[in-house]
Amino acid sequence: MLGSYTTTGARIIEEATPPVWWEGLEPWPSGQVQVRVLSGVGARPWDRDSRDVLLIAEVAEGRGEIIDRQEQVGGYPARAEPTRRAFDESQWDLRFMTPLSDAALDRPAQRRGT
C-alpha cells in the first residue's frame, strides 16, 4: 500500500505488487516524513534566508498558494555586491555538501536557519 500526503485527508492506494525497494533503504516512520522533508528541502537548507523560512513555514502550516512568477512575491532580491568566491573544499563535508563552519558561507553574519 502507498499513501498520498496532502493538506486534506490521505488516501490509501492499493498496489498489486510491492514498489521498487533496494537493499539498505530504510523507510521513515509516517509521523516523521513532513519534518524530515521540510528540514532538508531547498538548494541550501543550512543557509536559508527570511524568504526561505517563510515559504517552509507556510508549507508546514498548510497555507500559501502556487507562485507562477517571481513578481508575485516581490521579485528577485537586490544584490549590493557580488556573492561569488573561489570554492575551498577544505571548508566543506563533500559527502553531503554541507559547510564545516560558518566561514564557508558567503554571508555567515546574515545566516538564518530553520
Side-chain angles (χ1 to χ4, degrees):
M1 293 195 294
L2 299 174
S4 174
Y5 176 80
T6 65
T7 55
T8 61
R11 63 186 178 98
I12 301 298
I13 302 168
E14 300 267 354
E15 294 289 332
T17 59
V20 175
W21 206 266
W22 55 92
E23 187 177 330
L25 178 65
E26 293 291 328
W28 292 335
S30 60
Q32 294 179 14
V33 171
Q34 183 177 9
V35 170
R36 286 186 178 212
V37 169
L38 293 178
S39 68
V41 72
R44 299 183 318 228
W46 36 262
D47 189 26
R48 292 180 174 145
D49 64 14
S50 59
R51 291 177 187 222
D52 296 329
V53 173
L54 176 62
L55 179 65
I56 291 166
E58 286 186 348
V59 169
E61 295 169 5
R63 298 182 289 122
E65 57 191 57
I66 302 285
I67 300 168
D68 295 316
R69 300 178 313 283
Q70 64 268 13
E71 291 82 16
Q72 290 176 284
V73 290
Y76 286 108
R79 297 282 182 204
E81 59 187 59
T83 60
R84 293 190 176 112
R85 65 175 167 173
F87 181 73
D88 181 356
E89 68 181 67
S90 69
Q91 295 183 336
W92 293 81
D93 180 340
L94 299 178
R95 295 169 302 154
F96 304 107
M97 285 309 294
T98 54
L100 296 174
S101 71
D102 279 350
L105 302 174
D106 288 334
R107 53 190 182 113
Q110 298 175 9
R111 191 171 154 223
R112 293 182 210 106
T114 54

